[in-house]
Amino acid sequence: MKKRNKFKHGVYLLAALAMLLYALPKLSFQNGPGWVLGFGVVWCVFAFLVIASHLHFIIGVDEEKQKRLESVRKHKLEQWQGKWNEESRVAER
């Protein structure tokens, strides 16, 4: 499952890079500051954010955090199952 997720994020990363590389040469700085330039700059900033988020996931910066969250989930599931088993025993009596 993890390799599939990384592959998916890699594809999205390449798509965002391709869109950015396609759009950058079409940005016009000759007319001075204006709405068109502002839109282009904001669009590029969002594209860079998308690229950075996918790189962050692919590199696996938060693997330790993910492991801790998974252990907390398992612990909560065990607690929930224990309560459920206890309630079913009480109901049987």
Side-chain angles (χ1 to χ4, degrees), residues 31 42 53 73 87:
N31 296 339
V42 169
S53 67
R73 283 189 198 112
E87 287 174 4

Side-chain angles (χ1 to χ4, degrees), residues 22-85:
Y22 179 77
L24 278 178
K26 297 188 184 291
L27 229 72
S28 173
F29 294 101
Q30 295 169 354
N31 296 339
W35 290 107
V36 174
L37 178 64
F39 174 80
V41 169
V42 169
W43 190 89
C44 288
V45 168
F46 281 122
F48 281 123
L49 286 174
V50 168
I51 291 167
S53 67
H54 287 296
L55 275 175
H56 181 80
F57 184 84
I58 290 170
I59 293 172
V61 176
D62 283 340
E63 283 186 24
E64 182 63 34
K65 183 178 177 182
Q66 194 71 19
K67 288 178 185 175
R68 282 186 276 142
L69 285 173
E70 189 61 34
S71 68
V72 168
R73 283 189 198 112
K74 285 181 183 178
H75 181 68
K76 284 186 176 185
L77 179 63
E78 289 170 0
Q79 284 181 337
W80 180 78
Q81 286 175 339
K83 284 183 181 180
W84 191 67
N85 288 338

